[in-house]
Amino acid sequence: MLTASVDQTKSPKGNLFFLLLIALAFVILILNKAYFWSGHPLLTYPDQSAYFAMAEMITQGKLPYIDFFEWNPPLIMYLNLIPVFGSRLLHIPAALAMNFSVLVLSAVSSLIALRVAYKYSSRQNFLVLLPMIFAAAYFSQELLINSGEREHLFVLCYLPFFVLRSIVWKSDTNSEPPISKFDALQCGILAGIGMALKPQFVASAAIVELFFFFQFRSLKSLARPEINAVLSVFAAYLLCCLMLPPAVWDVYFHQVVPLYLSGLSYSSETLMPMLRTNGDFYIPFLHLILTLSAAIALSRHSHLIAPLAVFSLSFVFHYIYGAQSWPYRFLPMTAALFMLDGLILGIALAGIFRRLKQERFTLPVLAFAMLVVALSLTGQVINIERECYKGATLFDMSPLGYQGKCLKSDLDPLFFFIVDKTRPSDSAFFMGTGIGPGYPAILQSGRQQGSRYIFCLLPFLDYCVNQTHAKRWQDMSDLVIANYGKDIASKKPAMIIVQKRVVLDLLVQQNFFLRYMSDYEISGETNLHEIWVRTKK
Amino acid sequence: MRIVAAGLLSKGELPYVDFWDWSQPIVFELLKWLTLLCTSLASLGVAVIPASFIPLCIFALILGSLLLLAAVAGQALNSIDSAESREQIQDFALASGFSLALTALIARFDFGELQYVLMLAMAPWLYSRWLAHSFAHLQTAAVEIKRSAKLASRLLALLTGCCAGVVACFDLPYVFVFIIVELALVLQSQRWRSLISLQWLTFVSIIALNFVYLAALPEPVHTAFWQWTMPLKWLNYSIIDPEIVAPLSSPNRVDIVYCLVMAGIIAFSLSKKYSCFAPLTALMLSGLGLYMLEGQGFSHDFTLAIFAVTSVLVSAVLIAVRQISNWLTRRRAEASLPARLPSPLLVQSIIAVLAVATATIVWQSIEHDRSKLQDYLSANITKGNLPLDIALERTSKVNDSVTLLSPYIEPAYPLLLFSGRKPGGYLLWSRPLWIFKWISDNSSFTGPMKDFQAHTWSNIESEIAQHRTDLFIASDDKVLNTFDREKFFRALRKGYLEVDTTGDYFSLGNHQPHEFCGSNPQFRFFVKRSERGQ
């Protein structure tokens, strides 16, 4: 049934009607998400909103690491300039601009991947790649909390490149028609940007190339325009980084990186909670177990299975090595598993129809299946949205300078404190062990960031001090406290939100409130936070 | 703990009713028969006790598994002519055997655990199923099979099927491991007919027989098993201790995951050419699934995965050695000066030496872990903190009955066994109390679970009231909050005196040999007042 067979020479991909149905399925997926985000114009999440805020600060002339602290490489901040300008140009809320930017990227990614697959692969291969690309698009549309995380962006950027490379490796041995430089370059540039977001992405992409090489043993496939484009993007990124003032890199290498390497263990976890805390964790790993068990058994039927499987496994490594229970870190693992599912389905379907000698039905069945899935997903979203809005309390966005309303449930309780007790031109900042809920609340409220620290470093520094007793961490801790003091004195933020657990105790130990917050008083509190507002103008 | 349970069974106590652990009835039944066998041997003058006899039986199972593997491989080699196939059969048999032995060593601290025994049954099963899917067509097509060979083949199939079937009944999810491995083999070979085999028939028959046996359990064991224990076990699979979020609060076996990832990558790189990697990868991932399902992070939950990972890595090494040897043989045949090239035998010898070295290193690292813990214990004793065993020695004597309430087994066993203390309570370990607490915090007690809670509490009450236990050891007051805490301690203090002695289950970085899950508080000791003359 599923015997490995040699690719046939390229033939027309199929009836135009069914191809249009497939295109419609993809369009429906995109529109479905657009519909969703439109109904939630202020909905965003901590990391994504923090990067947007950093990009906004860059447009104000601020420098990363010096004027605002962050411990990730700078690319994501600069990429967020796109939604920042989009937000200003179209006068839409920041969250909406971000989500639509990701949606546009998703659409572009699917379009390029489909175009490359349609243009350069054989009919047989195209029918196998199609459900794989659809599965990736479906996976992307399902994301909510982690939509727009760097891992998600990487998957979107990498997808067309992966499709192209799979054709390149295979076609090199079978003398397929050459791939245009334009297509190669656009895939390479997009993938290069995605890979440059985190160094481990490069490692995973490299291992995929290694697996293709093991299968096809052709060095020619490595000397290609898309590879050059990827390397050029890295070079350009490096060059741009070097153009930043030396002081930036001084802080980065002498403060940020050491603290990241030593301090992140503060929030590290053991293996079991990383695999099983709740459904967000164990369902993807159950998916891994089932899909990879099937994939290895079927690995002879497609040259794509092994590379996708090891791509998936590489992200298991990255996730476990990071020792943090942050589900977005294994997003690419899940994406690869979805792609494997799509691929296996494509192989199975093609095999079944080939055995029944009804190959002409493969494309129609695929087309209708995709359309049904896209429509059912859309139906689900429409129903959920109707239920969400039925009797729900809405927030009028006009105080934020925008037309329309949004669900109050999209907003963190801190948002309402900020909006009630500060003016639109005010600034605020959050002192907590994580980015949230300070962000997205501060971004949603349209207030400025009132300190260089988007999250509080003191617990991490305290951890380093306790572990190593090294003076450098105590010095850095004193510096952070002093910097908070300077920020309060210079920016006069209207509101300071303090996390009760851990942070409050550390601040009290440092006499922080007496030293720097004499112009503030407690205006309210939640279970987890104290809300301090400025009394003196 | 199961050896202790075996002793209770041999005295006629009913599992789940008179003492509680959630092992399957078949486990208790096997232990009972082993204890009876031990007793019979003892009566014949053989110097054995269950504490040493049962581990000896496990050791015999290891040898048995290796022999079975060798027999299956030998039988397959006799019936296949193709040189390439014979190489593959030989190499995979060698890899499986060495991996089995090496894993038995690596998991030495988990000797005799359920997954450990599962591994012993899985090795010959997986090997023979791989043969059935990969080479059955060659076997039937080629050599005229002698009647004795057919009989041997059937006997081996029966034996592997029987062992696999019995072990699959040891725990709820084990049967799925066999199914997943078989599905991987079927998907790879596309030979659905291979499912119609004496092995599978035996396997399924054993499962069915076990089910009939479970259905026919006499009351009150039937109710205690089906309505109390199994729902509790099922609930345990779906909840996770929130306390394991902090660092070091559960064993951090990321090393196994790294090896699993590496083995997975190797398996995918070789799976197109070598069919043994598909079932091994499926087994490895199933092992990961079992680990996740148990939800506590103990190393013994990873035994099956460790075996599969080891098998993949060893198989890959053997393939590499085979390739190098074959290449060297060809080159030596072609070369004008063959002596300048190393002999294939030299390469194989180097690998054999490396294998022995690996085993030695594993042995040494285990000894190193053990001695580090001993040093840590000594340092703590110097500071005045007593380990559980010393605290136990100071507060009780041999043959005293002891109730040790701990939500995981490790502090209590094998301490109680080797110290000669008898289990004094209904609960051999107190995981049910932890789950009852979870139910009372997150749900409500209804139906059979309410009855189980009442039964457990009334047993603990009567243990206290009737002074059936000489020493009460309890950790983690939160667990005791399941019951009316004030009532419990009032009752306890009537007949028992809390002594100043406390004991710790010392663990160095939550590594083996002492692992824990969640919190690891001190144990409080309550001695029977009459023991203290009060």
Side-chain angles (χ1 to χ4, degrees):
Chain A
M1 180 174 82
L2 293 176
T3 50
S5 57
V6 175
D7 266 349
Q8 296 161 15
T9 52
K10 208 164 71 164
S11 53
K13 299 297 187 301
N15 189 304
L16 195 60
F17 172 70
F18 296 114
L19 292 171
L20 284 173
L21 281 185
I22 288 166
L24 185 62
F26 278 88
V27 167
I28 288 172
L29 279 185
I30 300 291
L31 288 178
N32 153 24
K33 202 71 184 184
Y35 169 73
F36 174 82
W37 289 127
S38 305
H40 299 265
L42 290 183
L43 181 63
T44 184
Y45 297 95
D47 284 353
Q48 298 90 315
S49 52
Y51 295 135
F52 186 97
M54 290 176 207
E56 271 192 326
M57 286 190 268
I58 287 172
T59 64
Q60 293 161 7
K62 293 182 181 164
L63 291 171
Y65 315 115
I66 293 181
D67 297 318
F68 59 90
F69 187 93
E70 164 59 8
W71 48 22
N72 287 300
L75 180 59
I76 186 64
M77 308 171 201
Y78 287 91
L79 281 179
N80 268 270
L81 288 171
I82 298 170
V84 165
F85 290 128
S87 167
R88 289 177 188 175
L89 205 67
L90 301 170
H91 195 63
I92 53 175
L96 195 61
M98 272 195 295
N99 294 324
F100 268 94
S101 301
V102 174
L103 193 61
V104 166
L105 178 63
S106 182
V108 164
S109 168
S110 298
L111 181 67
I112 299 175
L114 277 171
R115 185 166 166 276
V116 164
Y118 180 79
K119 212 168 151 186
Y120 300 111
S121 64
S122 64
R123 183 175 191 276
Q124 187 184 23
N125 229 16
F126 178 67
L127 293 176
V128 165
L129 287 173
L130 203 49
M132 184 191 81
I133 299 168
F134 184 80
Y138 177 87
F139 159 78
S140 178
Q141 299 325 308
E142 281 272 277
L143 289 178
L144 189 61
I145 293 172
N146 295 318
S147 176
E149 287 278 9
R150 280 175 294 168
E151 279 73 5
H152 182 207
L153 300 179
F154 165 63
V155 168
L156 295 176
C157 292
Y158 183 67
L159 175 67
F161 183 82
F162 177 79
V163 171
L164 180 79
R165 295 299 290 161
S166 71
I167 295 167
V168 161
W169 280 103
K170 199 170 164 67
S171 69
D172 224 54
T173 52
N174 287 342
S175 306
E176 289 283 343
I179 292 164
S180 86
K181 229 177 189 170
F182 173 75
D183 289 332
L185 286 174
Q186 72 174 349
C187 290
I189 290 170
L190 199 59
I193 294 170
M195 286 187 224
L197 284 166
K198 279 189 179 180
Q200 53 264 44
F201 297 165
V202 181
S204 295
I207 211 171
V208 167
E209 293 298 315
L210 198 65
F211 262 71
F212 278 130
F213 176 72
F214 279 152
Q215 293 181 82
F216 298 103
R217 314 263 173 187
S218 162
L219 283 170
K220 267 199 298 181
S221 298
L222 291 170
R224 292 261 326 152
E226 64 271 12
I227 299 289
N228 294 337
V230 167
L231 295 173
S232 303
V233 167
F234 293 160
Y237 179 35
L238 199 62
L239 203 66
C240 290
C241 286
L242 290 171
M243 285 166 62
L244 286 169
V248 167
W249 298 112
D250 185 57
V251 170
Y252 184 75
F253 286 112
H254 290 111
Q255 289 183 35
V256 174
V257 171
L259 184 59
Y260 184 86
L261 292 174
S262 303
L264 206 60
S265 305
Y266 167 72
S267 53
S268 69
E269 293 186 13
T270 49
L271 180 62
M272 183 51 68
M274 293 181 73
L275 296 177
R276 235 205 90 155
T277 303
N278 55 42
D280 290 340
F281 295 85
Y282 67 73
I283 291 174
F285 282 96
L286 188 61
H287 189 187
L288 177 88
I289 290 166
L290 296 172
T291 297
L292 288 194
S293 299
I296 193 158
L298 299 170
S299 60
R300 294 172 190 195
H301 299 289
S302 170
H303 66 291
L304 292 175
I305 288 178
L308 275 176
V310 299
F311 182 83
S312 187
L313 284 169
S314 71
F315 276 93
V316 174
F317 176 81
H318 296 323
Y319 171 61
I320 300 296
Y321 186 74
Q324 310 288 331
S325 281
W326 297 335
Y328 70 82
R329 284 194 167 184
F330 57 76
L331 267 184
M333 173 195 90
T334 312
L337 293 173
F338 268 84
M339 288 165 71
L340 272 171
D341 293 339
L343 191 66
I344 290 170
L345 188 70
I347 294 169
L349 211 58
I352 290 169
F353 283 116
R354 196 180 313 120
R355 186 153 188 181
L356 296 172
K357 296 193 184 4
Q358 303 291 337
E359 281 126 315
R360 66 182 189 280
F361 286 118
T362 313
L363 186 63
V365 168
L366 269 176
F368 279 113
M370 287 180 196
L371 200 58
V372 163
V373 168
L375 286 170
S376 72
L377 182 65
T378 306
Q380 266 179 42
V381 167
I382 291 172
N383 281 335
I384 291 171
E385 287 302 288
R386 270 203 204 127
E387 287 305 312
C388 263
Y389 271 89
K390 213 189 267 183
T393 326
L394 299 177
F395 175 79
D396 185 354
M397 293 193 295
S398 48
L400 306 176
Y402 300 110
Q403 285 181 351
K405 297 182 180 182
C406 76
L407 288 168
K408 269 194 169 174
S409 54
D410 285 350
L411 307 164
D412 188 272
L414 282 183
F415 168 88
F416 297 101
F417 277 105
I418 297 171
V419 162
D420 287 344
K421 294 177 190 297
T422 66
R423 295 167 305 184
S425 57
D426 283 339
S427 63
F429 71 89
F430 172 72
M431 300 177 88
T433 43
I435 295 172
Y439 278 90
I442 294 173
L443 185 75
Q444 288 170 329
S445 63
R447 284 9 178 203
Q448 296 295 310
Q449 169 64 16
S451 164
R452 73 194 73 190
Y453 299 111
I454 286 174
F455 61 95
C456 188
L457 293 179
L458 295 175
F460 301 96
L461 288 164
D462 184 61
Y463 172 81
C464 291
V465 166
N466 290 333
Q467 291 292 115
T468 66
H469 304 287
K471 193 177 174 299
R472 72 182 296 192
W473 302 122
Q474 188 56 57
D475 291 345
M476 194 169 165
S477 193
D478 295 337
L479 176 66
V480 167
I481 293 281
N483 282 339
Y484 269 125
K486 279 185 201 166
D487 291 342
I488 292 170
S490 61
K491 295 177 190 182
K492 298 180 175 39
M495 180 178 282
I496 301 172
I497 305 153
V498 179
Q499 178 185 295
K500 286 178 183 173
R501 189 182 64 89
V502 179
V503 174
L504 188 65
D505 293 337
L506 289 172
L507 293 175
V508 165
Q509 277 173 30
Q510 300 279 351
N511 287 322
F512 184 85
F513 298 99
L514 287 169
R515 286 158 72 186
Y516 301 114
M517 286 178 65
S518 53
D519 296 333
Y520 291 81
E521 65 180 15
I522 292 186
S523 163
E525 59 184 303
T526 67
N527 285 341
L528 301 171
H529 305 101
E530 282 183 357
I531 318 293
W532 291 75
V533 293
R534 190 174 178 84
T535 51
K536 192 174 167 182
K537 297 292 173 206
Chain B
M1 182 195 65
R2 293 191 184 97
I3 296 174
V4 167
L8 296 172
L9 286 164
S10 64
K11 287 177 190 161
E13 293 201 24
L14 296 176
Y16 320 113
V17 180
D18 298 324
F19 70 90
W20 188 89
D21 168 49
W22 60 24
S23 296
Q24 293 287 310
I26 191 172
V27 173
F28 290 129
E29 203 58 37
L30 286 171
L31 287 168
K32 190 170 81 176
W33 285 105
L34 283 176
T35 314
L36 285 173
L37 179 63
C38 175
T39 315
S40 311
L41 286 171
S43 65
L44 291 172
V46 180
V48 277
I49 52 170
S52 54
F53 181 71
I54 291 173
L56 207 61
C57 292
I58 304 289
F59 184 70
L61 281 179
I62 298 174
L63 296 175
S65 182
L66 288 167
L67 282 171
L68 192 53
L69 196 60
V72 171
Q75 197 266 330
L77 285 169
N78 282 340
S79 53
I80 286 179
D81 279 339
S82 154
E84 198 187 331
S85 301
R86 289 170 67 83
E87 268 182 13
Q88 282 196 39
I89 291 171
Q90 208 173 313
D91 288 349
F92 190 35
L94 197 59
S96 297
F98 181 73
S99 304
L100 184 65
L102 189 62
T103 311
L105 188 61
I106 292 169
R108 209 179 64 175
F109 291 130
D110 307 314
F111 185 81
E113 278 282 352
L114 293 182
Q115 265 201 41
Y116 195 97
V117 181
L118 174 63
M119 169 188 73
L120 301 180
M122 179 57 78
W125 166 270
L126 186 143
Y127 183 76
S128 54
R129 292 310 301 154
W130 169 73
L131 283 173
H133 279 274
S134 306
F135 300 105
H137 60 294
L138 291 177
Q139 282 179 309
T140 52
V143 178
E144 185 191 290
I145 301 165
K146 289 184 194 168
R147 180 177 278 190
S148 59
K150 264 190 191 169
L151 194 65
S153 160
R154 282 181 186 156
L155 201 64
L156 288 172
L158 264 171
L159 211 50
T160 47
C162 193
C163 292
V166 166
V167 171
C169 299
F170 277 10
D171 207 351
L172 293 175
Y174 287 2
V175 69
F176 295 105
V177 175
F178 291 90
I179 292 172
I180 289 173
V181 167
E182 192 69 22
L183 279 175
L185 283 164
V186 165
L187 277 175
Q188 181 177 242
S189 69
Q190 308 287 306
R191 290 193 188 106
W192 301 90
R193 282 190 167 210
S194 297
L195 288 171
I196 306 168
S197 64
L198 186 58
Q199 254 176 333
W200 263 105
L201 184 63
T202 317
F203 180 84
V204 171
S205 303
I206 299 283
I207 305 276
L209 271 170
N210 181 58
F211 187 75
V212 168
Y213 165 67
L214 291 177
L217 285 169
E219 287 291 353
V221 177
H222 187 278
T223 300
F225 174 73
W226 282 107
Q227 295 191 31
W228 296 352
T229 305
M230 284 301 97
L232 199 81
K233 184 98 206 251
W234 193 253
L235 183 62
N236 186 66
Y237 285 145
S238 60
I239 59 180
I240 192 161
D241 187 348
E243 287 196 20
I244 70 168
V245 170
L248 296 183
S249 55
S250 71
N252 196 21
R253 297 310 309 261
V254 292
D255 54 329
I256 298 174
V257 176
Y258 297 153
C259 291
L260 190 147
V261 168
M262 183 170 62
I265 290 172
I266 291 171
F268 272 97
S269 68
L270 297 171
S271 62
K272 273 193 174 177
K273 207 176 165 195
Y274 301 97
S275 56
C276 62
F277 290 103
L280 284 176
T281 305
L283 185 68
M284 189 169 73
L285 294 167
S286 303
L288 176 65
L290 286 180
Y291 174 81
M292 285 172 54
L293 196 60
E294 293 297 337
Q296 293 186 294
F298 289 116
S299 297
H300 58 71
D301 296 329
F302 249 147
T303 308
L304 194 68
I306 293 172
F307 167 66
V309 166
T310 312
S311 299
V312 168
L313 298 176
V314 172
S315 300
V317 167
L318 283 177
I319 287 168
V321 168
R322 175 74 70 183
Q323 297 288 336
I324 295 170
S325 300
N326 290 344
W327 179 80
L328 282 170
T329 308
R330 278 197 308 273
R331 285 299 305 267
R332 281 169 74 90
E334 291 162 9
S336 52
L337 291 167
R340 293 184 75 180
L341 289 165
S343 140
L345 196 60
L346 177 67
V347 172
Q348 288 159 357
S349 306
I350 291 171
I351 297 300
V353 166
L354 284 175
V356 172
T358 307
T360 311
I361 290 167
V362 168
W363 183 283
Q364 286 300 317
S365 76
I366 291 167
E367 287 306 310
H368 176 68
D369 282 345
R370 199 197 289 277
S371 66
K372 270 177 74 176
L373 179 65
Q374 286 301 325
D375 293 341
Y376 180 66
L377 282 171
S378 305
N380 271 282
I381 292 168
T382 317
K383 288 180 201 166
N385 303 320
L386 293 180
L388 262 181
D389 53 343
I390 294 180
L392 185 70
E393 289 295 325
R394 289 190 187 178
T395 51
S396 64
K397 49 191 188 305
V398 172
N399 286 324
D400 272 358
S401 57
V402 175
T403 299
L404 204 164
L405 294 181
S406 168
Y408 47 98
I409 299 170
E410 280 72 6
Y413 301 94
L415 173 63
L416 292 183
L417 177 70
F418 292 138
S419 63
R421 273 49 171 185
K422 298 181 294 188
Y426 168 64
L427 296 173
L428 293 185
W429 60 302
S430 60
R431 187 70 178 170
L433 298 187
W434 186 86
I435 299 177
F436 291 157
K437 184 173 178 336
W438 185 90
I439 296 173
S440 69
D441 289 345
N442 296 280
S443 179
S444 59
F445 284 97
T446 53
M449 206 45 57
K450 196 173 172 185
D451 297 336
F452 185 25
Q453 199 229 12
H455 178 81
T456 307
W457 173 236
S458 83
N459 268 296
I460 294 177
E461 262 189 323
S462 65
E463 279 158 34
I464 298 168
Q466 294 166 21
H467 301 167
R468 285 212 306 264
T469 189
D470 296 310
L471 175 68
F472 228 100
I473 308 173
S475 77
D476 195 357
D477 286 350
K478 284 182 286 186
V479 170
L480 297 174
N481 281 345
T482 308
F483 309 111
D484 182 341
R485 197 168 179 277
E486 285 309 312
K487 190 177 166 190
F488 173 78
F489 277 108
R490 226 178 10 248
L492 192 63
R493 288 197 174 97
K494 269 186 193 166
Y496 293 82
L497 178 71
E498 183 168 5
V499 295
D500 285 340
T501 308
T502 54
D504 285 279
Y505 178 64
F506 287 112
S507 172
L508 186 58
N510 211 339
H511 286 139
Q512 286 192 306
H514 278 190
E515 289 179 335
F516 65 91
C517 174
S519 61
N520 188 23
Q522 276 190 330
F523 285 85
R524 296 158 64 180
F525 286 67
F526 300 83
V527 182
K528 202 156 65 176
R529 283 185 186 272
S530 57
E531 296 285 318
R532 288 284 165 137
Q534 294 178 21

